[in-house]
Every structure is written in structure tokens, then in C-alpha cells.
Amino acid sequence: MTTFVLATANTHKVTEMTAVLAELGIEVLPRPEDLAEVDETQDTLVGNALLKARAVMGASGHASVADDTGLFVDALNGEPGVFSARYSGEGATDEKNVAKLLTALEMSGSENRSAAFRTVIAVVYPDGREIVVEGVLPGRIAEIPVGDNGFGYDPIFIPDLGESRTLAQMSLAEKNEHSHRARALRALAATLR
Ligand code: ITT
């Protein structure tokens, strides 16, 4: 069985990734507890995903899998994009990031609410091999946050699935059926085969 050490420090991502990877027959080991969070110094999802996977592979000596995700809003020229985690600045929280995004969209004066979640998954092996795949979920930004499930920007993201629920109104299983992260992880499984 394929086993990877998970490079993410985000517990919500850990839950989602563990469930999707289990379905794909891939086992995960937890991130080393004593490893400090890796500074995301790159300006691309690929760059940051590779940074995280390389750091955790270096610390664990084991093949590692990292996720870097961003929400790209068309009317904001792709913002917050790769900077989604720190969008509202020092001490950013999910609530502050969501509020800032809704305000920015209102200030833009645009009626275009289309957006996409993009996830890059990177795997780094001890022998230096690296795999990079991407998953995309197109959708639109809701007028107000709705739903209690999920995390991050889920309450304001309505995926293009032919209905009007936000990701935060979906169960974990439903999100994992359609999400950017699940799509990237399935692409990874296809690459490994
Ligand atoms: P790690 O780097 O430890 O994996 P992180 O939370 O820093 O965790 P990212 O840099 O990838 O992860 O996250 C960017 C931002 O996008 C952050 O604010 C998340 O809350 C948000 N985000 C990531 N995946 C999301 C998802 O599936 N749904 C909603 N928001 C998400």
C-alpha cells in the first residue's frame, strides 16, 4: 500500500485528505508534531505545495504529500489566490478573510461573482522524485456566508454543480465527492497508477 506523510497543519484539510486518500487506497501518516509551520514564501500554489512537501519529507525521511489551495475571484483579478490564507493581514481568521472578500467584491462594482478554488497537490519522495497535480472547482461567490460545515471560504462559495448550496451547506462526503482537493487527489492517484 502507498503511504505518504501529510504535510498540512490544517486539521480540516487533514480530515478531507485522509478520507479521500483512503478511498483511493492511499494511507497517510500524521505530520511530524515538532516541525514548525513552513513559511509559504512562494507566489504560486505549485511553489508553496512543493516547499511544504519538501520540508516534511526532509523532517520525516518519508514520501510526503502537501496541499496548497487558493480561491481565485475573477472580478478581483484572481485575488485572494495564492494569498488566500493571509488575505485579511496579520491575525487573519476565516471570518475576517470572508468579510474582506465580500467587501472587496462589493467595492469592485462588478456583478461578476464567478470564482474557482484551485488545489495543487505535491508529492516529494526521498530519492528526489516530485509529482505535482491540480484540481479545480469552478463556482461563484455568495452574497452572504451560509452554512456551518467545512472551513475557510466554504460559506461563500457556491460550486457550479447545478444547485445553489454553498460548500459549507454540504456534508463532508458531498464536499469530498466534488471538491478541488478531491479532484487533485484523484489526479494524483491516476498519476501513481
Ligand atoms: P497548510 O498550509 O498547513 O496545508 P493552510 O490553511 O495554510 O494549511 P492554504 O495555504 O492552502 O492552507 O490555505 C489557503 C486559504 O484558503 C486558507 O485561508 C484556507 O482556509 C482556505 N482554504 C483552503 N482550502 C479550502 C477549502 O477547501 N474550502 C474553503 N477554504 C479553503
Side-chain angles (χ1 to χ4, degrees):
M1 182 185 247
T2 307
T3 308
F4 295 130
V5 177
L6 266 189
T8 180
N10 179 320
T11 53
H12 300 279
K13 282 193 192 176
V14 172
T15 304
E16 292 181 11
M17 291 173 79
T18 304
V20 175
L21 287 169
E23 278 173 23
L24 296 168
I26 298 171
E27 187 184 64
V28 290
L29 300 171
R31 187 178 193 280
E33 267 176 29
D34 49 356
L35 182 68
E37 262 204 56
V38 178
D39 276 341
E40 296 185 18
T41 52
Q42 303 297 301
D43 59 6
T44 61
L45 296 179
V46 172
N48 286 324
L50 281 170
L51 263 189
K52 291 185 266 189
R54 286 176 190 148
V56 171
M57 190 283 293
S60 65
H62 200 289
S64 299
V65 62
D67 162 315
D68 202 46
T69 297
L71 176 59
F72 294 76
V73 180
D74 292 346
L76 301 177
N77 300 315
E79 282 191 10
V82 70
F83 304 110
S84 293
R86 293 144 285 161
Y87 188 44
S88 58
E90 269 305 293
T93 61
D94 288 349
E95 291 73 23
K96 287 187 198 168
N97 286 339
V98 162
K100 175 161 178 185
L101 198 154
L102 289 177
T103 304
L105 202 46
E106 199 179 312
M107 302 288 282
S108 76
S110 174
E111 300 210 334
N112 177 9
R113 304 190 75 85
S114 60
F117 266 118
R118 293 180 177 275
T119 291
V120 168
I121 295 285
V123 170
V124 173
Y125 292 91
D127 67 5
R129 273 179 305 143
E130 298 185 333
I131 299 173
V132 173
V133 291
E134 189 184 42
V136 181
L137 181 63
R140 64 183 195 276
I141 304 299
E143 303 284 338
I144 51 165
V146 187
D148 298 316
N149 300 334
F151 68 102
Y153 298 91
D154 282 344
I156 55 165
F157 188 78
I158 302 171
D160 283 347
L161 298 172
E163 53 166 303
S164 57
R165 282 184 303 159
T166 66
L167 279 178
Q169 290 177 287
M170 298 185 183
S171 66
L172 176 66
E174 281 177 293
K175 183 177 175 188
N176 278 348
E177 204 179 314
H178 305 290
S179 80
H180 37 294
R181 179 162 297 110
R183 288 175 179 181
L185 291 170
R186 284 189 213 115
L188 171 66
T191 304
L192 295 174
R193 284 196 292 271

